Amino acid sequence: MTSVSGKGVQVVGTRPIRHDGMDKVTGRALYGADIQLPGLLYGKVLRSPHAHARIKSIDTSRAEALPGVRAIITAQDMPDITERIGELGETMYNLSYLKENVLASRKVLYKGHAVAAVAATSPHIAEEALALIRVEYEPLPPVMNVKEAMTKGAPLLHEDLVTDELGKNGTQPSNVAKHFRFQKGDVEKGFQQADVIVERELQTATVHQGYLEPQNATALWGADGNVTVWCSTQGAFMTREQVYQLLDLSEAKVKVVPMEIGGGFGGKISAYLEPVAALLSRKTGRPVKVVMSRSEVFEGTGPTPAAHIKVKMGANRAGRITGAEISLYYEAGAFPGSAVQAGAMCAFACYNLENAQVDGYDVVVNKPKSAAYRAPGATQAALAVETVIDELCERIGMDPLEFRLVNGVKEGDRRVDGPAYRRIGYLEVVKATREHPHYSAPLGGPNRGRGVATGFWFNAGGPSSCYLSVNADGTVGMVEGSTDIGGSRVAVAMQAAEVLGIPAEAVKPVVADTDSVGYTSVTGGSSVAFKTGLAAYEAAQDVKRQMVERAARIWEKPVEEVESANGVFHLKSDPELKMTFKDLAARLLTTGGPITGRASVNARGAGPGFAAHIVDVEVDPETGKTQVLRYTTVQDVGRAIHPSYVEGQMQGGAAQGVGWALNEEYVYNKQGDMTNSTFLDYRMPTSLDLPMIDTVIVEVPNPTHPYGVRGVGEVPIVPPPAAIANAIYGAIGIRMTTLPMSPGKVLEALQAKGKRQR
Amino acid sequence: MTSVSGKGVQVVGTRPIRHDGMDKVTGRALYGADIQLPGLLYGKVLRSPHAHARIKSIDTSRAEALPGVRAIITAQDMPDITERIGELGETMYNLSYLKENVLASRKVLYKGHAVAAVAATSPHIAEEALALIRVEYEPLPPVMNVKEAMTKGAPLLHEDLVTDELGKNGTQPSNVAKHFRFQKGDVEKGFQQADVIVERELQTATVHQGYLEPQNATALWGADGNVTVWCSTQGAFMTREQVYQLLDLSEAKVKVVPMEIGGGFGGKISAYLEPVAALLSRKTGRPVKVVMSRSEVFEGTGPTPAAHIKVKMGANRAGRITGAEISLYYEAGAFPGSAVQAGAMCAFACYNLENAQVDGYDVVVNKPKSAAYRAPGATQAALAVETVIDELCERIGMDPLEFRLVNGVKEGDRRVDGPAYRRIGYLEVVKATREHPHYSAPLGGPNRGRGVATGFWFNAGGPSSCYLSVNADGTVGMVEGSTDIGGSRVAVAMQAAEVLGIPAEAVKPVVADTDSVGYTSVTGGSSVAFKTGLAAYEAAQDVKRQMVERAARIWEKPVEEVESANGVFHLKSDPELKMTFKDLAARLLTTGGPITGRASVNARGAGPGFAAHIVDVEVDPETGKTQVLRYTTVQDVGRAIHPSYVEGQMQGGAAQGVGWALNEEYVYNKQGDMTNSTFLDYRMPTSLDLPMIDTVIVEVPNPTHPYGVRGVGEVPIVPPPAAIANAIYGAIGIRMTTLPMSPGKVLEALQAKGKRQR
């Protein structure tokens, strides 16, 4: 770890223990599954055994007759909301698809698709009841990838889905929900100017976020029609929105209580169980808890889209990219809406291109509806672009980081899709990477290779809120609405502490329910330290202003006479007359009452994040197994509020990227059944698979945040698969183009190469 | 019900359904006993079987050996805090006494005094373990009332307690903790000017608040030393204060979560179980829940002090009180600190006296430490003063309400203890009472009598806080810190709604924990609608200001151009251009972000409350049973925010007063054992004992509150015993001087009178 600066701040940049740390490591933190309520019932969801089938009938009568069963719901129990879809243009999801995903009404579109749900007095009875529900299906042939889905005459998932083709609706139904294009300059002219052109076709797998805590929801539908939902969510307000819209209620009728969250990575934004638990509670008049098993998480929630990518890039001998085009075909899963648009914006975002074209295709297939997963869509695109650049560099004989310094983006450059950059740190990151000892260290053995790759993520802002209240002991209660997935509580608290001149530990953060804090957008887009940090900063300013007024009142001086610095209030005219924040806090109740602060912001300009990764691997020629030997991540974080958690994000993103690169995938049989829906069979990296991941923090302050914060959580997952593919090429001279680059595939490639060479 | 005015307001004075109503009547509201946590242990408290004894030893070894027992604590487990007592001058309780009351170390001072506590895996095991704890006691003779306690040579509860005698410490230990005096004019001269003097000695009983929900506390002591306590409390911040001081922690280490509360009436301010549950949790590392039984509530919590009172008042023929003196001897219970000081201030507070003297004695006896109970201390004193005034009126032949119009207090008059009144409504209340049809209605039968009495209560203010957040559907989330005992949520919400011009139902109130809202003083002193209402009013002004700014931004006009009235924002220059609060709320997220508001106040000048009650009774000469036939309460409430809940308070106070008057008392045997510690044997009034209690709301606005609110909850318990005593006198010609005026006592009095007349 290298931190660049810490000037003028006392708290920002330090590493206090996070407020929720002890509770979490000692098992005392309360998660959704810990909820117990008087009269609680247990819900279970019946899921489709078919990847594609028409539902002909559902008979719940035998299940209803089972003693202990209190209610059964199907899609028929959900309100008819089709008329309201038009109103929902501003939201990020299509309500009718969401509804169908929560409980299927006409067709099941993937194995694991929810069909019905039971509430019973015990989880065992609920499970038993599931087996008694008779669903008559008419099985249909499944389409399991974009190639199959786009084949002429392919089975259609949605008979009424017509392609949105370059902004115009088609007439014939198809499995392609959307085809869009970004263009800049003249890509054909660009290729004509190239000395070298590389063209590749790549494939990534369906990969799950693999959060530790399965989805869960507990709901209590009050007799007055108010619904309370406790759940594991990345955004209580977003869950509230989905629940009240799906259940056709007014916003204020729904209260969502975010419990502690055991990981999310984008996968806990969409609603799955919340509306189900709520409907079961309405029907029974009792609280109902539903918790997914791991298999349900794999099969019933949203993984990242698998992608098929065609990429072509040309460069001249000077190392300048002259033309670049990419076509991204992303599997949306059962319903339209993959991350292909984000992927398309990210694909060339590291490079200042004159001639480029990006095509995106959103394709439905008989897999779970894809969801956000850490820098959604970017990793897939980066695999293609960053490996092709590696090949270009090899062909023109240029150092790949040098190449990126030639082509990399800086302030004022524009992405292919339009927007110009403010102050960014891509070049700083590449330089720091080039200078890192890892980049020039000897590899130290045979079958070893080194790869580099870079990545971009937008980072988001959005609305957020914060309340602060000063306690008599000089501590400050902080209420925020951002679910804390990766240490954001402490990062937000530190920004309030910095303003107030008190230790981070003196701020006591609370993540509140939707009735108890102002609107706060979802914990996603790497936004929290930026947007909720800003809200905390502003709320602290509100507190500080009042503290200054109070000091002035106590000293019987005009407010203008009082100054505040580093948590000490003093009189300009008499610097000896001073009070610490703590001194003053102790006097509030007797000098006019308590002091509280508030702020709500709509934070804009989160500031893009760029990362470069260096990785060394060794490939076992006998087994095809790739071992990661050394890993270094370099990232512009704007300003690391709490460097440890920034480093944790960098390391975590890299670790997940290693999983994508080497092992993780949904394995399907021909019927469209996932055959590895457990953590035993779905191979995520363990600590034994990873070296210590070294981190280099680069700080190019974001000009739109008082402390220069940029988002940090997502971009570290973007470079790893490409960097590892490049490293494998270095080790064995083979350009792998299909994820995961698992031992079997590598061995196969080695054998094919061997045959070619014989 | 008669309401005086409702000018210029839309929400204030209306009767919306309370927000917590449905949940409470359908059993879905969550109380402390509903808490379930993973790994929860159950605690039970071992209590003294003796009213007075020295603890010689405690042997917990056999209990500890019982399978399922996880921890046992005694007073030895509490930190030594004696050195900190001096710092606690500003708080309302003596920490060392509180500590001894929570767990006795050297002596037990009443039957039911806590001695040890067990945490076990089930409540049954915990109870079994209690029986295995061996406590060796040296029994001591108990003192059970002030007469015994003040007898020379009486057994001493606290060997080191010396009387604070008129502000000077004595030298000899005694059971009198304090004797103080208020004086005005020359009372002897006053008596000399009197034409009639009445002198009486009266006795009131030990009476419990009788809240429906027993005390409970659940605590989780985190590995990082942070303690969370869920409990039934009238003030989460006050509970936090007691817990962190008793456990010698810093304030911020303790978080108190106030659950719904099933009644308090003053009895849920002092800590009993909270420190016990916390210590058991620390020792076990697991959450521990402790819930009292009804007998524990009677024997182990704080009832109102029984009082012995000597009163002497003189008046001239014109009906002017010339002199008045009263001596109040209140039973503090096991530790000093009865409500005698408040009683002394209230005793003559309805009358403008030239010559008066009040003596107060705080006397310890071997009963549970007395606690606050609705207008603490005032009812006892009012019994004495208001019955003696009745007798004076009889002697001089003057109507008792006329008499009160001659002597009653008005703006500028001073209480005996000093303070002068602001605008008050005593005379308005007396006039409204005199004009009420009840006062002149025929009694309609033999053995019937009508009594009137009046009463005073200070009403309190204090620090309080409120947060507001605007939802997109035009509703507003409201966070407050005031436990809602009697409908205060809605009364507070209505004040915010009034400012914002939205319906009361559009405000969603949340009573938050101590980390999630600004400091808020206890729900007591009839303060909430006043102080937290004021905080909500100010927070709503904060929201409104920002909404006006937002409207101006949307219309691209200066802020000064925008006006707001009744929830509609419009342009001064173009009244056609307008938006409702709801319209604007829907646009916030896209026009600059959410809007939240906050306020913290230290509300002063709560404004005294005065009440007058008329009661008709019929006494059965065969059984001595008194039946209340008709009851009318008249009260100055300042301004009734929600008249239904104001009326509910007036009715509830009267009902409890009827209990004091006619039936309720702790019955003790000679050993000092309470012999009626169940609701079967402790006779509280039921609906069959009460007529419909009619209410007359008088509104003399309190000048220190924007809507004129005064406290309303306490003063209605002050007049009933006196009014009923006066009515019984009207029915049977006997001045009852001992509470309760139960059938047995009345029959005895009737028989004695019969003997005298024979």
Side-chain angles (χ1 to χ4, degrees):
Chain A
M1 195 296 303
T2 319
S3 187
V4 174
S5 74
K7 296 260 170 17
V9 287
Q10 310 287 324
V11 179
V12 164
T14 63
R15 299 166 183 257
I17 292 173
R18 60 196 281 178
H19 304 79
D20 51 328
M22 284 292 255
D23 274 358
K24 283 183 174 161
V25 298
T26 56
R28 290 181 201 182
L30 294 173
Y31 293 82
D34 294 324
I35 282 279
Q36 286 292 333
L37 292 168
L40 185 68
L41 299 175
Y42 299 84
K44 290 276 176 188
V45 176
L46 181 70
R47 297 181 181 278
S48 166
H50 302 290
H52 196 188
R54 211 173 301 281
I55 300 171
K56 299 188 75 177
S57 67
I58 304 179
D59 177 4
T60 59
S61 56
R62 280 179 64 214
E64 275 160 18
L66 185 71
V69 170
R70 294 303 167 91
I72 299 181
I73 58 164
T74 67
Q76 306 310 314
D77 291 280
M78 296 192 72
D80 186 2
I81 48 166
T82 43
E83 286 177 22
R84 294 185 51 204
I85 295 172
E87 297 171 28
L88 298 163
E90 277 183 80
T91 64
M92 293 169 62
Y93 54 91
N94 177 311
L95 198 61
S96 64
Y97 289 141
L98 180 64
K99 180 187 162 188
E100 274 295 308
N101 199 36
V102 167
L103 280 173
S105 68
R106 295 175 300 270
K107 285 177 81 177
V108 287
L109 296 170
Y110 55 98
K111 178 170 182 276
H113 196 163
V115 172
V118 176
T121 49
S122 88
H124 312 292
I125 294 173
E127 213 155 317
E128 217 179 312
L130 293 187
L132 298 175
I133 298 174
R134 294 222 177 134
V135 185
E136 203 185 341
Y137 293 105
E138 178 195 334
L140 301 169
V143 287
M144 298 307 293
N145 57 53
V146 292
K147 279 191 180 166
E148 281 178 31
M150 292 174 76
T151 303
K152 210 178 155 96
L156 294 173
L157 275 75
H158 303 276
E159 284 88 353
D160 55 353
L161 179 69
V162 292
T163 310
D164 176 6
E165 174 72 30
L166 299 178
K168 286 178 197 155
N169 258 19
T171 50
Q172 292 299 309
S174 105
N175 288 321
V176 180
K178 192 175 190 175
H179 168 212
F180 61 88
R181 176 174 293 163
F182 302 135
Q183 272 180 310
K184 191 178 175 190
D186 181 338
V187 73
E188 285 311 321
K189 210 180 86 191
F191 288 133
Q192 286 158 18
Q193 294 166 359
D195 296 314
V196 181
I197 288 179
V198 174
E199 201 167 352
R200 286 277 180 187
E201 206 164 328
L202 301 99
Q203 178 69 39
T204 72
T206 299
V207 174
H208 199 272
Q209 300 85 356
Y211 34 78
L212 208 55
E213 180 208 21
Q215 261 84 354
N216 58 74
T218 303
L220 178 54
W221 196 302
D224 52 2
N226 287 311
V227 188
T228 304
V229 178
W230 296 258
C231 61
S232 179
T233 174
Q234 288 182 231
F237 286 89
M238 187 63 167
T239 298
R240 178 176 78 170
E241 201 162 318
Q242 295 175 76
V243 170
Y244 84 73
Q245 292 186 347
L246 283 173
L247 302 181
D248 204 11
L249 301 169
S250 71
E251 187 172 358
K253 283 280 168 194
V254 179
K255 169 175 167 175
V256 174
V257 186
M259 304 299 291
E260 288 297 346
I261 180 169
F265 309 107
K268 287 184 179 162
I269 297 172
S270 187
Y272 299 99
L273 300 177
E274 293 84 353
V276 170
L279 288 172
L280 288 171
S281 178
R282 182 172 64 179
K283 220 163 177 177
T284 58
R286 284 168 62 173
V288 178
K289 177 158 75 170
V290 196
V291 181
M292 285 195 190
S293 69
R294 180 57 57 184
S295 292
E296 284 183 285
V297 171
F298 275 118
E299 301 192 338
T301 69
T304 199
H308 186 81
I309 303 174
K310 297 176 188 167
V311 60
K312 179 179 175 185
M313 295 181 76
N316 60 26
R317 292 279 163 209
R320 184 76 186 102
I321 301 169
T322 57
E325 89 183 357
I326 192 166
S327 291
L328 304 165
Y329 303 84
Y330 280 30
E331 292 180 4
F335 299 98
S338 72
V340 67
Q341 186 138 355
M345 292 175 182
C346 293
F348 295 130
C350 293
Y351 306 103
N352 183 28
L353 303 181
E354 278 172 36
N355 306 302
Q357 180 171 311
V358 183
D359 281 83
Y361 297 84
D362 186 44
V363 186
V364 293
V365 298
N366 290 117
K367 292 184 180 178
K369 164 72 179 73
S370 66
Y373 178 2
R374 210 168 192 156
T379 303
Q380 293 93 326
L383 172 72
V385 173
E386 297 291 294
T387 56
V388 164
I389 284 177
D390 206 61
E391 207 168 342
L392 283 174
C393 292
E394 186 195 11
R395 300 270 287 276
I396 63 174
M398 190 167 186
D399 174 85
L401 292 181
E402 203 54 47
F403 183 90
R404 287 175 172 91
L405 289 177
V406 171
N407 293 284
V409 283
K410 58 184 188 310
E411 188 171 357
D413 292 346
R414 284 190 178 278
R415 293 205 312 256
V416 176
D417 54 306
Y421 290 111
R422 288 202 191 81
R423 182 86 180 87
I424 51 173
Y426 182 75
L427 298 178
E428 287 81 350
V429 165
V430 173
K431 280 177 200 154
T433 309
R434 199 179 49 173
E435 285 153 21
H436 193 277
H438 182 177
Y439 194 59
S440 50
L443 276 167
N447 301 314
R448 291 184 175 188
R450 176 168 299 149
V452 293
T454 63
F456 158 86
W457 183 249
F458 312 92
N459 295 326
S464 189
S465 303
C466 182
Y467 295 137
L468 296 174
S469 62
V470 182
N471 291 315
D473 64 356
T475 61
V476 174
M478 180 179 95
V479 180
E480 52 153 328
S482 290
T483 308
D484 180 1
I485 311 188
S488 59
R489 264 189 196 86
V490 70
V492 172
M494 286 169 76
Q495 296 180 55
E498 184 67 58
V499 172
L500 299 175
I502 59 178
E505 294 84 353
V507 178
K508 282 191 84 178
V510 170
V511 179
D513 64 64
T514 52
D515 281 358
S516 304
V517 66
Y519 187 90
T520 300
S521 50
V522 76
T523 297
S526 302
S527 63
V528 176
F530 173 72
K531 70 183 174 192
T532 308
L534 185 64
Y537 174 93
E538 295 291 354
Q541 298 288 358
D542 187 25
V543 165
K544 193 168 152 182
R545 223 164 13 243
Q546 297 171 74
M547 296 286 274
V548 166
E549 284 166 19
R550 190 63 61 88
R553 188 194 297 188
I554 290 171
W555 286 327
E556 297 176 348
K557 297 283 178 187
V559 171
E560 302 71 37
E561 286 272 301
V562 179
E563 270 188 340
S564 157
N566 297 332
V568 179
F569 301 90
H570 62 89
L571 260 192
K572 283 184 197 169
S573 56
D574 178 3
E576 289 305 299
L577 200 52
K578 56 187 168 188
M579 280 186 287
T580 64
F581 184 90
K582 194 171 175 171
D583 295 337
L584 184 50
R587 298 182 62 179
L588 294 182
L589 290 191
T590 52
T591 57
I595 284 178
T596 51
R598 59 100 183 108
S600 286
V601 300
N602 193 10
R604 301 285 184 200
F610 291 97
H613 291 194
I614 319 172
V615 59
D616 294 356
V617 304
E618 179 174 323
V619 178
D620 182 337
E622 303 292 318
T623 62
K625 180 173 190 280
T626 301
Q627 186 70 36
V628 178
L629 300 174
R630 185 173 179 182
Y631 207 109
T632 303
T633 67
V634 185
Q635 186 173 325
D636 172 22
V637 305
R639 177 69 155 269
I641 297 293
H642 191 303
S644 297
Y645 298 122
V646 168
E647 291 157 16
Q649 290 293 334
M650 293 164 71
Q651 294 168 321
Q656 285 191 317
V658 170
W660 286 44
L662 296 178
N663 294 102
E664 294 185 45
E665 64 180 315
Y666 276 42
V667 178
Y668 282 97
N669 65 17
K670 286 206 172 141
Q671 289 78 48
D673 297 352
M674 184 182 184
T675 59
N676 64 333
S677 64
T678 71
F679 271 156
L680 280 176
D681 299 316
Y682 180 92
R683 176 84 163 78
M684 291 178 75
T686 68
S687 58
L688 297 177
D689 297 309
L690 297 168
M692 178 63 196
I693 295 172
D694 196 12
T695 55
V696 179
I697 288 176
V698 174
E699 292 186 319
V700 177
N702 175 12
T704 61
H705 184 280
Y707 299 124
V709 168
R710 296 178 191 273
V712 299
E714 285 168 292
V715 73
I717 202 177
V718 180
I724 291 172
N726 294 338
I728 289 175
Y729 176 75
I732 61 172
I734 298 173
R735 294 271 171 205
M736 298 295 295
T737 56
T738 302
L739 295 190
M741 300 172 285
S742 49
K745 284 207 207 95
V746 171
L747 197 59
E748 212 171 277
L750 280 168
Q751 287 164 349
K753 184 186 174 197
K755 273 184 198 155
R756 281 197 306 274
Q757 289 175 347
R758 269 201 304 270
Chain B
M1 197 296 302
T2 319
S3 185
V4 174
S5 76
K7 297 262 168 21
V9 287
Q10 310 286 324
V11 178
V12 164
T14 63
R15 298 165 184 258
I17 291 173
R18 59 198 280 177
H19 304 80
D20 51 328
M22 283 293 256
D23 274 357
K24 283 182 173 163
V25 297
T26 57
R28 290 180 202 183
L30 295 173
Y31 293 82
D34 293 325
I35 284 278
Q36 286 293 334
L37 294 167
L40 185 67
L41 299 175
Y42 300 84
K44 291 276 176 188
V45 175
L46 181 70
R47 296 180 180 279
S48 164
H50 302 291
H52 196 186
R54 212 173 301 280
I55 299 171
K56 299 188 75 177
S57 68
I58 304 178
D59 177 3
T60 60
S61 57
R62 282 180 62 213
E64 274 159 19
L66 185 70
V69 170
R70 296 301 168 92
I72 300 181
I73 58 164
T74 66
Q76 306 310 314
D77 292 279
M78 296 192 73
D80 186 2
I81 47 166
T82 43
E83 284 177 23
R84 295 186 52 205
I85 295 171
E87 298 172 26
L88 298 162
E90 278 183 80
T91 63
M92 293 168 65
Y93 54 91
N94 177 311
L95 198 60
S96 63
Y97 289 141
L98 180 65
K99 180 187 163 189
E100 275 295 309
N101 199 36
V102 166
L103 281 173
S105 69
R106 295 175 301 272
K107 284 177 81 179
V108 288
L109 295 171
Y110 54 98
K111 178 170 183 276
H113 197 165
V115 173
V118 176
T121 49
S122 86
H124 311 293
I125 294 172
E127 212 155 316
E128 217 179 311
L130 292 187
L132 298 174
I133 299 174
R134 294 224 179 133
V135 186
E136 201 186 342
Y137 292 105
E138 177 196 334
L140 301 169
V143 286
M144 297 306 292
N145 56 53
V146 292
K147 277 190 183 168
E148 281 178 32
M150 293 175 76
T151 302
K152 210 176 156 97
L156 294 174
L157 275 76
H158 303 275
E159 283 88 352
D160 54 354
L161 178 69
V162 293
T163 310
D164 176 5
E165 172 74 29
L166 298 178
K168 287 178 197 157
N169 258 18
T171 50
Q172 292 300 309
S174 104
N175 288 321
V176 180
K178 191 175 191 177
H179 169 213
F180 60 90
R181 177 175 293 165
F182 303 135
Q183 271 179 311
K184 192 178 175 190
D186 181 338
V187 72
E188 284 313 318
K189 211 180 86 188
F191 289 134
Q192 286 159 18
Q193 294 164 358
D195 295 315
V196 181
I197 289 179
V198 174
E199 202 167 351
R200 288 275 181 189
E201 207 163 329
L202 302 98
Q203 178 69 39
T204 73
T206 299
V207 174
H208 199 274
Q209 301 85 354
Y211 35 77
L212 208 55
E213 181 206 21
Q215 260 84 354
N216 58 75
T218 304
L220 178 55
W221 196 304
D224 52 2
N226 287 313
V227 188
T228 304
V229 178
W230 295 259
C231 61
S232 179
T233 174
Q234 288 180 231
F237 287 88
M238 186 65 168
T239 298
R240 178 175 78 169
E241 200 162 320
Q242 294 175 75
V243 170
Y244 85 72
Q245 292 187 348
L246 282 173
L247 302 181
D248 204 11
L249 301 169
S250 71
E251 186 173 358
K253 284 278 169 195
V254 180
K255 169 176 168 175
V256 175
V257 186
M259 304 297 292
E260 288 295 346
I261 180 169
F265 310 106
K268 287 182 179 163
I269 297 172
S270 186
Y272 298 99
L273 300 177
E274 293 84 354
V276 170
L279 288 171
L280 288 170
S281 178
R282 181 171 65 179
K283 219 162 178 178
T284 58
R286 285 169 61 174
V288 178
K289 177 157 75 170
V290 196
V291 180
M292 286 196 191
S293 69
R294 179 59 54 185
S295 291
E296 284 183 285
V297 171
F298 275 118
E299 299 192 340
T301 69
T304 198
H308 187 81
I309 303 172
K310 295 176 190 168
V311 57
K312 180 179 173 184
M313 295 180 76
N316 61 26
R317 292 279 162 207
R320 186 78 186 98
I321 301 169
T322 57
E325 91 182 357
I326 191 165
S327 292
L328 305 164
Y329 303 85
Y330 280 32
E331 291 179 5
F335 299 97
S338 71
V340 67
Q341 186 138 357
M345 291 175 181
C346 293
F348 294 130
C350 294
Y351 306 104
N352 183 29
L353 303 181
E354 277 173 36
N355 305 302
Q357 180 171 310
V358 183
D359 281 82
Y361 297 84
D362 187 44
V363 186
V364 293
V365 298
N366 289 116
K367 292 184 179 178
K369 165 72 177 75
S370 67
Y373 179 2
R374 209 170 193 155
T379 304
Q380 294 92 325
L383 172 71
V385 172
E386 298 290 296
T387 55
V388 163
I389 284 178
D390 207 61
E391 206 169 339
L392 284 175
C393 291
E394 186 197 11
R395 300 267 290 273
I396 62 173
M398 192 167 185
D399 173 85
L401 292 181
E402 202 56 47
F403 183 90
R404 287 174 172 92
L405 289 178
V406 170
N407 293 286
V409 281
K410 59 185 187 307
E411 188 170 356
D413 291 346
R414 284 190 180 277
R415 292 205 312 255
V416 176
D417 53 307
Y421 289 111
R422 288 204 192 83
R423 181 85 180 90
I424 50 172
Y426 181 76
L427 297 178
E428 286 81 349
V429 164
V430 173
K431 279 177 202 153
T433 309
R434 197 178 52 173
E435 285 153 21
H436 194 277
H438 183 178
Y439 194 60
S440 50
L443 276 167
N447 301 315
R448 293 185 174 186
R450 174 168 298 147
V452 294
T454 62
F456 158 87
W457 183 251
F458 314 90
N459 295 325
S464 188
S465 302
C466 182
Y467 296 137
L468 297 175
S469 62
V470 181
N471 291 314
D473 64 356
T475 61
V476 174
M478 180 180 96
V479 180
E480 52 152 329
S482 289
T483 310
D484 180 1
I485 311 189
S488 60
R489 264 190 195 86
V490 68
V492 172
M494 287 169 77
Q495 296 180 56
E498 185 68 57
V499 172
L500 300 174
I502 59 177
E505 293 83 355
V507 177
K508 282 190 84 179
V510 170
V511 178
D513 63 65
T514 52
D515 281 358
S516 305
V517 66
Y519 187 90
T520 299
S521 50
V522 77
T523 296
S526 302
S527 62
V528 177
F530 174 71
K531 72 184 172 193
T532 308
L534 185 64
Y537 174 92
E538 294 293 352
Q541 298 288 358
D542 188 23
V543 166
K544 192 168 154 183
R545 221 164 15 242
Q546 297 172 74
M547 295 287 274
V548 166
E549 284 166 19
R550 190 63 61 89
R553 186 194 298 186
I554 290 171
W555 287 327
E556 297 176 350
K557 298 283 179 187
V559 171
E560 304 70 37
E561 286 272 299
V562 178
E563 270 188 340
S564 156
N566 297 330
V568 179
F569 301 90
H570 63 87
L571 263 191
K572 282 184 197 167
S573 55
D574 178 5
E576 289 306 297
L577 200 52
K578 55 187 167 188
M579 280 187 284
T580 63
F581 184 90
K582 193 171 175 171
D583 296 337
L584 184 50
R587 299 182 62 180
L588 294 182
L589 290 191
T590 53
T591 57
I595 284 178
T596 50
R598 58 99 184 109
S600 286
V601 300
N602 194 8
R604 300 285 186 201
F610 291 96
H613 291 193
I614 319 172
V615 59
D616 294 357
V617 303
E618 181 174 322
V619 178
D620 182 337
E622 302 295 316
T623 63
K625 178 172 191 283
T626 300
Q627 185 70 36
V628 178
L629 300 174
R630 185 173 179 183
Y631 206 109
T632 303
T633 68
V634 184
Q635 186 173 326
D636 172 22
V637 305
R639 176 70 154 267
I641 297 294
H642 191 304
S644 298
Y645 298 122
V646 168
E647 290 157 15
Q649 290 292 335
M650 292 164 71
Q651 293 168 323
Q656 286 190 317
V658 169
W660 288 43
L662 297 177
N663 295 101
E664 293 185 46
E665 63 180 316
Y666 276 43
V667 178
Y668 282 96
N669 66 17
K670 284 203 174 143
Q671 288 77 47
D673 298 355
M674 184 184 183
T675 59
N676 63 334
S677 64
T678 72
F679 271 157
L680 280 177
D681 299 316
Y682 180 90
R683 176 82 166 80
M684 290 179 76
T686 69
S687 58
L688 297 178
D689 296 309
L690 297 168
M692 179 63 196
I693 294 171
D694 195 13
T695 55
V696 179
I697 288 177
V698 174
E699 292 186 319
V700 177
N702 175 12
T704 62
H705 184 280
Y707 299 125
V709 168
R710 296 177 190 275
V712 298
E714 286 168 292
V715 71
I717 203 177
V718 181
I724 291 171
N726 292 339
I728 289 175
Y729 176 74
I732 60 171
I734 298 172
R735 294 270 170 205
M736 298 295 295
T737 55
T738 303
L739 295 189
M741 299 173 285
S742 50
K745 283 206 208 97
V746 171
L747 197 59
E748 212 172 278
L750 279 168
Q751 288 163 348
K753 183 187 175 197
K755 272 184 201 156
R756 281 198 306 274
Q757 289 175 344
R758 263 199 308 271

